[in-house]
Amino acid sequence: MSNNDPYQVLEVSSLASDRELKDSFRKLARTHHPDAGGDPEEFKRIQEAYSLIGDPVKRAVHDLERRRSGVNDARKEATEITNEYLASIQKRRPL
């Protein structure tokens, strides 16, 4: 796994309940625990993901930042599309 989205690391939806989140964390932690022959780096990623969204307050902050980032990305993309469109119009009809 190369993605750092905590929901993807924990293999749950962003709409998952606290219980689903905890169950998935425990399952993955058991599977990837170094004492059970798992990868220490993957285990660390799982722990970090859960520490980020396992607490309801931290999860709310994370989700808010995630939504804000998505809005900003959409604005950037819309601006780029608009600029490309305007540039193509200018190429066809010089002022």
Side-chain angles (χ1 to χ4, degrees):
M1 277 183 208
S2 62
N3 194 325
N4 289 325
D5 177 33
Y7 291 106
Q8 288 184 0
V9 171
L10 295 175
E11 300 176 359
V12 294
S13 161
S14 60
L15 302 175
S17 69
D18 291 341
R19 184 75 203 163
E20 291 170 318
L21 195 64
K22 190 173 193 174
D23 288 347
S24 183
F25 165 71
R26 286 181 172 176
K27 178 184 144 212
L28 290 168
R30 268 193 310 271
T31 302
H32 296 285
H33 196 284
D35 291 346
D39 178 21
E41 290 302 314
E42 186 63 20
F43 181 71
K44 183 178 177 182
R45 288 183 66 231
I46 293 165
Q47 286 183 306
E48 289 171 354
Y50 188 71
S51 72
L52 185 61
I53 61 175
D55 176 81
V57 174
K58 289 181 180 180
R59 183 178 181 181
V61 170
H62 170 76
D63 290 348
L64 180 62
E65 290 174 354
R66 188 176 180 206
R67 281 192 291 276
R68 284 183 180 163
S69 174
V71 168
N72 289 337
D73 291 345
R75 284 182 184 153
K76 287 178 188 175
E77 186 175 343
T79 300
E80 289 173 7
I81 290 170
T82 302
N83 289 341
E84 288 174 11
Y85 175 72
L86 293 174
S88 71
I89 290 175
Q90 284 181 335
K91 286 179 183 176
R92 283 187 267 153
R93 190 176 353 146
L95 297 176

